Amino acid sequence: MNIADDDRLGAQLRRAVPPVPDHDATLGRDLWPEMRRRLAQPEARRRGLWLDWTLAAAAMIAFILTPEVIPALLYLL
Amino acid sequence: MDLLARFARGDDDAFESLFRRFQEPVYGWIVRIVRDRAAAEDLTVETFWRIHQARARFDPARGFEGWARRIATNLALSHLRSLRPLVPLEENDPPAGDSRDPAVDQETREQLRRAFARLSPKLRVTATLALIEETPYREIADALGVSENAVKLRVFRAVRELRKSLQRMGVER
């Protein structure tokens, strides 16, 4: 395989999965009203943060108990 | 005091100004990664929510857009990890005026699409930005919080995995 092959694959990939057209990458509306609603829900989010921390702690414990899975996970992620 | 400094000190008017100024580029960045408009809108709001929560840690000297883009990229990556398989942006027809290679027929495109959807989210995001959207490696590296060499390595691995998948499908030798 060489650079020309890679370029050819890149071109094929762009035909199979085309770039997002500019009109689809443009926001059609103002998201500020949703942002304000979201900012008005701090309690629910705090509960969500607790869940995040709990999951992170569970993951840390799992890694300590089974460190051999870490390289495999890093590769897959 | 300038806008970024006011935002870092918790000024909500400054946050609104930054939101209005940057919602468009942040959305544009996210939609190119997740390729789903509704999800990109939700993730844009989520990005700014996290920015708002983390404003005390923001360093005005380092600029806002890069920071926002990095948070947006992490969220987009998490979103892709929660999805199986890739959600296409409606039916992705080639752009108008695209000169098609006759050797690359519909079947090949479908196989390639499937192979691409099977890449890990980390490789898919890098390959989407580098190979499909043709974003400069420097920008991708900043958004992912990795070095340019790490981006090149991920692109290399993505290409290698695509080739392996295509070989298994009998598309490439």
Side-chain angles (χ1 to χ4, degrees):
Chain A
M1 297 301 161
N2 55 35
I3 290 170
D5 286 333
D6 285 352
D7 287 348
R8 191 170 59 87
L9 184 70
Q12 287 180 350
L13 186 61
R14 281 189 293 281
R15 276 191 285 274
V17 187
V20 173
D22 285 345
H23 62 83
D24 279 334
T26 303
L27 191 54
R29 64 197 180 90
D30 181 16
L31 295 177
W32 180 246
E34 282 175 48
M35 189 71 246
R36 284 180 63 181
R37 277 196 292 278
R38 184 65 199 279
L39 290 171
Q41 305 171 335
E43 286 304 317
R45 289 309 300 170
R46 251 178 237 138
R47 282 197 294 276
L49 278 181
W50 274 111
L51 180 64
D52 289 349
W53 281 110
T54 306
L55 288 173
M60 284 301 291
I61 291 167
F63 287 152
I64 290 166
L65 294 177
T66 56
E68 66 274 11
V69 303
I70 294 173
L73 266 178
L74 287 176
Y75 180 79
L76 291 172
L77 291 176
Chain B
M1 196 187 303
D2 84 340
L3 188 62
L4 296 180
R6 285 196 292 121
F7 159 70
R9 289 170 65 95
D11 182 330
D12 283 340
D13 289 339
F15 175 69
E16 181 177 350
S17 297
L18 287 169
F19 182 91
R20 293 191 182 284
R21 188 184 299 177
F22 290 104
Q23 62 176 328
E24 187 76 53
V26 168
Y27 168 83
W29 180 259
I30 294 172
V31 80
R32 289 181 201 282
I33 297 173
V34 302
R35 310 178 71 79
D36 177 331
R37 286 188 290 267
E41 287 185 1
D42 289 346
L43 290 167
T44 301
V45 172
E46 179 68 20
T47 298
F48 278 95
W49 189 84
R50 300 224 177 172
I51 285 169
H52 186 266
Q53 297 305 109
R55 63 193 183 281
R57 295 196 298 275
F58 173 63
D59 176 5
R62 299 187 67 181
F64 184 81
E65 192 166 4
W67 186 54
R69 191 180 271 194
R70 191 177 293 192
I71 293 171
T73 306
N74 285 333
L75 284 171
L77 192 51
S78 299
H79 172 77
L80 291 179
R81 284 182 177 132
S82 71
L83 293 179
R84 288 284 192 270
L86 175 73
V87 178
L89 189 75
E90 293 172 359
E91 192 44 49
N92 286 311
D93 291 322
D98 181 44
S99 59
R100 295 183 180 200
D101 178 352
V104 184
D105 60 9
Q106 182 62 35
E107 177 63 20
T108 306
R109 279 204 294 274
E110 188 51 42
Q111 306 270 38
L112 198 45
R113 212 174 285 160
R114 270 189 238 131
F116 188 70
R118 274 200 289 271
L119 290 177
S120 71
K122 190 170 77 175
L123 292 188
R124 204 191 317 150
V125 165
T126 313
T128 298
L129 292 170
L131 301 176
I132 296 174
E133 300 294 340
E134 300 183 276
T135 308
Y137 283 7
R138 179 72 260 156
E139 277 185 44
I140 301 171
D142 285 345
L144 291 170
V146 298
S147 67
E148 263 185 83
N149 280 339
V151 172
K152 286 176 191 168
L153 183 62
R154 288 184 192 183
V155 171
F156 171 80
R157 283 173 55 200
V159 168
R160 189 182 59 188
E161 291 195 18
L162 282 174
R163 287 197 191 289
K164 275 190 202 163
S165 293
L166 293 176
Q167 281 162 0
R168 276 196 298 272
M169 294 170 188
V171 177
E172 281 223 340
R173 286 184 302 277

